[in-house]
Amino acid sequence: MSYVVGIACFLLFNVFLSIATDHMVHSYGKKALEEKAAYVERQCGILSNQLVLNGMSSYNMTNPSDDKGSNLYELEQLANDIGGRILIIDDHFEILADTYHKNYGQYYVTDELIAAFEGEDVDYSFVGDNIQVISGVYNQDTGDMEAAVLAIASLSDVDDIINYLYTQRATLMGLFLLITLIVIILLVMFMRRSFRNMQDELDIIAEGHQEENMSETGFQEFHRMAVSFNRIINRYKELENSRQEFVSNVSHELKTPITSMKILADSLLTQENVPAEIYADFMNDIVHEIDRENQIINDLLTLVKMDKTRADLNIAPTNINELLEVLLKRISPIAEKRNITIRLETMRQVVAEVDEVKLSLACNNIIENAVKYNHDGGKVDVSLNGDHKFFYIRVKDTGVGIPEDCQEQIFERFYRVDKARSRETGGTGLGLAISRNVILLHKGSIRVHSKEGEGATFIIRIPLNYLG
């Protein structure tokens, strides 16, 4: 969700900023220490060169003389410059000079001094809060190290800078955390308002105002939720309209035969001495209407069964070639009365996992329609083919065809392209709806291609293996 991602990004940014600034301050501190050490080493190197040029005796404070005061002053100036203390120690570890004015003539021995007099390279080292640097004084004639300049410089100036940087870092982090907190609070407030608005809209819809839709505004997630919910509402509206239309159609379809029977019965009751042949005709018409009523009820019950769960399917391996041959034998007598030719063409033997009874019903409805809505002397071609995944049944007729603007509605319940012709042929308007439901239960599909007056072609595709 975008607001969660936004909050996470803010928090991650603060974590990254904390790590980055801490690394920067640490790196700067390390760099400052190195520069401090380099500066002290340079100053000690300069002092060592002066000792070589002027001689060690000029800085030997164990035997002070008037001309040595200026040399001590130079040492003190250098010590102040580096912010620490400078000692000059000869090769016997005797202190010749000390800017702290003590320890003259005493001995000062450390591991670093021993290593330096033995000719080893000695880097700077840290002693408490100070940095220690040793620089050698070498004899020009022999090249031997005859004294050492030991500088102990304070790191308080570096520490002050690092502490200042850490203070500024803490201020910066606090500022960013405050900004993050404000942004999160604003996001939460906006989210709560969005949720509250959504809840209010849902309450209105729940009270029965299904004609209302949710506003599709706010965060992307709220927008998507609103869009999805509006699609559900619109689907519900479509189902409700379909239900109302279905109830209306059922009422009309069931009422029509009853009305016809009542008119016929009233006609017989209001007439005296009705001739037997007229009486027989009326009774035949009544029986026909009863049969029609019974067919509508049976089709409705079939649709109800189709709407149940898939568990009602009795799936078993079925020879589709034999199934179609049985259907065509059953329908052929109806076609022969109108001189309609029915032909079955099979490209291969097909055995599929289907509910034989229900698939027979679906195919029977489609083939019967191809006969009913055909011209006298027309043709109905039924073909069967398959591949490694599906089998295909094609039913092609030379009948009246289906207008293009009606082809999407023909699978709806009680829909008829030509209501008068449907009544003449005894149709209930439920056959194609039943066929489509059966095919969908088998995870298949059905399509129609037709032009008005040029016949129609129905193509059924069903998986060979049931995918329940």
Side-chain angles (χ1 to χ4, degrees):
M1 296 165 46
S2 61
Y3 56 87
V4 173
V5 172
I7 293 174
C9 287
F10 274 117
L11 295 176
L12 288 174
F13 176 75
N14 279 279
V15 172
F16 171 77
L17 182 65
S18 175
I19 296 173
T21 52
D22 183 72
H23 177 72
M24 289 173 60
V25 173
H26 179 74
S27 298
Y28 179 82
K30 184 179 179 181
K31 182 69 174 177
L33 288 174
E34 292 175 350
E35 290 182 354
K36 177 78 173 184
Y39 177 74
V40 174
E41 286 179 339
R42 286 196 302 271
Q43 296 303 318
C44 289
I46 294 172
L47 178 59
S48 298
N49 291 333
Q50 290 178 351
L51 288 171
V52 172
L53 294 174
N54 299 332
M56 290 295 301
S57 59
S58 63
Y59 288 90
N60 189 344
M61 299 304 166
T62 57
N63 297 308
S65 60
D66 293 338
D67 60 345
K68 295 177 183 176
S70 59
N71 294 329
L72 180 59
Y73 177 75
E74 291 178 3
L75 287 179
E76 290 176 346
Q77 288 287 11
L78 180 57
N80 291 332
D81 186 39
I82 64 175
R85 179 183 183 184
I86 295 178
L87 295 91
I88 299 176
I89 303 169
D90 65 11
D91 53 358
H92 299 292
F93 301 102
E94 181 181 358
I95 299 175
L96 303 180
D98 183 359
T99 56
Y100 277 15
H101 302 287
K102 57 184 180 180
N103 300 323
Y104 294 133
Q106 297 185 17
Y107 294 91
Y108 184 75
V109 182
T110 65
D111 293 337
E112 291 83 359
L113 281 171
I114 294 173
F117 279 113
E118 288 180 352
E120 297 181 15
D121 291 332
V122 179
D123 294 330
Y124 62 87
S125 58
F126 295 99
V127 181
D129 294 333
N130 301 310
I131 185 171
Q132 177 179 281
V133 174
I134 297 175
S135 179
V137 180
Y138 297 93
N139 188 291
Q140 288 181 320
D141 297 328
T142 64
D144 295 331
M145 181 174 170
E146 59 182 3
V149 176
L150 175 65
I152 301 174
S154 173
L155 298 176
S156 59
D157 54 342
V158 176
D159 291 338
D160 289 342
I161 294 174
I162 294 175
N163 291 333
Y164 173 77
L165 291 176
Y166 272 114
T167 301
Q168 295 299 313
R169 171 182 174 272
T171 302
L172 181 64
M173 288 302 303
L175 179 62
F176 273 100
L177 286 173
L178 178 62
I179 293 174
T180 301
L181 181 62
I182 293 173
V183 171
I184 291 175
I185 291 173
L186 292 176
L187 285 173
V188 170
M189 291 175 61
F190 186 81
M191 287 161 50
R192 288 187 62 187
R193 186 178 67 179
S194 299
F195 274 120
R196 191 162 50 247
N197 293 339
M198 182 177 290
Q199 184 61 54
D200 292 341
E201 293 176 353
L202 287 174
D203 290 339
I204 293 174
I205 294 173
E207 289 173 359
H209 300 281
Q210 283 83 13
E211 69 280 359
E212 300 290 336
N213 282 337
M214 292 183 63
S215 56
E216 300 174 358
T217 57
F219 282 112
Q220 186 177 7
E221 286 71 24
F222 289 109
H223 174 77
R224 289 178 179 173
M225 289 173 61
V227 170
S228 297
F229 189 81
N230 287 337
R231 288 164 66 183
I232 294 173
I233 290 294
N234 292 333
R235 178 60 179 162
Y236 168 80
K237 292 175 184 177
E238 292 176 3
L239 291 174
E240 180 62 19
N241 292 335
S242 177
R243 184 190 66 82
Q244 293 178 359
E245 183 179 355
F246 177 72
V247 171
S248 175
N249 288 334
V250 168
S251 301
H252 176 76
E253 294 296 331
L254 292 176
K255 184 179 179 181
T256 301
I258 294 175
T259 302
S260 299
M261 286 186 286
K262 186 176 186 306
I263 292 172
L264 292 168
D266 287 343
S267 298
L268 292 176
L269 291 174
T270 55
Q271 298 180 38
E272 296 181 358
N273 302 320
V274 178
E277 60 274 11
I278 295 178
Y279 187 86
D281 287 342
F282 275 38
M283 290 306 296
N284 284 331
D285 290 340
I286 291 174
V287 170
H288 175 74
E289 293 299 327
I290 291 173
D291 289 339
R292 184 159 172 263
E293 184 92 359
N294 185 56
Q295 184 181 355
I296 293 173
I297 293 172
N298 287 335
D299 283 349
L300 286 171
L301 291 174
T302 301
L303 271 177
V304 170
K305 292 178 181 178
M306 292 299 105
D307 289 337
K308 289 185 178 180
T309 60
R310 304 183 190 94
D312 290 337
L313 289 176
N314 298 314
I315 300 297
T318 303
N319 189 310
I320 306 301
N321 303 71
E322 295 178 0
L323 181 148
L324 292 176
E325 289 174 1
V326 171
L327 288 180
L328 264 61
K329 287 179 182 179
R330 187 187 305 163
I331 298 173
S332 290
I334 302 173
E336 289 173 358
K337 292 180 181 180
R338 299 176 52 200
N339 198 27
I340 296 175
T341 303
I342 298 182
R343 184 178 62 177
L344 174 62
E345 182 181 10
T346 56
M347 312 298 180
R348 53 172 285 187
Q349 286 293 316
V350 175
V351 175
E353 297 176 356
V354 297
D355 185 319
E356 183 176 359
V357 174
K358 291 184 174 61
L359 184 60
S360 295
L361 175 63
C363 294
N364 184 82
N365 288 339
I366 294 172
I367 298 172
E368 268 195 3
N369 281 350
V371 174
K372 288 179 181 178
Y373 297 99
N374 213 322
H375 301 293
D376 293 345
K379 294 180 181 180
V380 175
D381 293 326
V382 180
S383 64
L384 172 65
N385 201 353
D387 54 30
H388 64 289
K389 290 181 65 176
F390 302 94
F391 69 90
Y392 305 86
I393 299 174
R394 187 181 71 164
V395 180
K396 181 179 181 181
D397 64 65
T398 58
V400 297
I402 304 169
E404 187 174 350
D405 58 348
C406 299
Q407 292 178 15
E408 293 184 3
Q409 290 82 33
I410 59 172
F411 296 105
E412 296 177 4
R413 300 169 183 183
F414 293 113
Y415 184 84
R416 296 186 181 91
V417 177
D418 186 341
K419 293 182 174 57
R421 184 177 179 88
S422 296
R423 294 249 163 75
E424 289 175 4
T425 58
T428 63
L430 297 172
L432 288 179
I434 293 172
S435 298
R436 179 176 179 273
N437 281 13
V438 170
I439 293 167
L440 291 179
L441 284 176
H442 284 83
K443 305 297 184 181
S445 64
I446 180 169
R447 294 178 294 137
V448 60
H449 301 285
S450 179
K451 287 186 179 180
E452 192 171 5
E454 298 182 10
T457 301
F458 288 83
I459 300 173
I460 302 169
R461 187 188 74 171
I462 295 177
L464 293 171
N465 299 313
Y466 182 63
L467 304 175

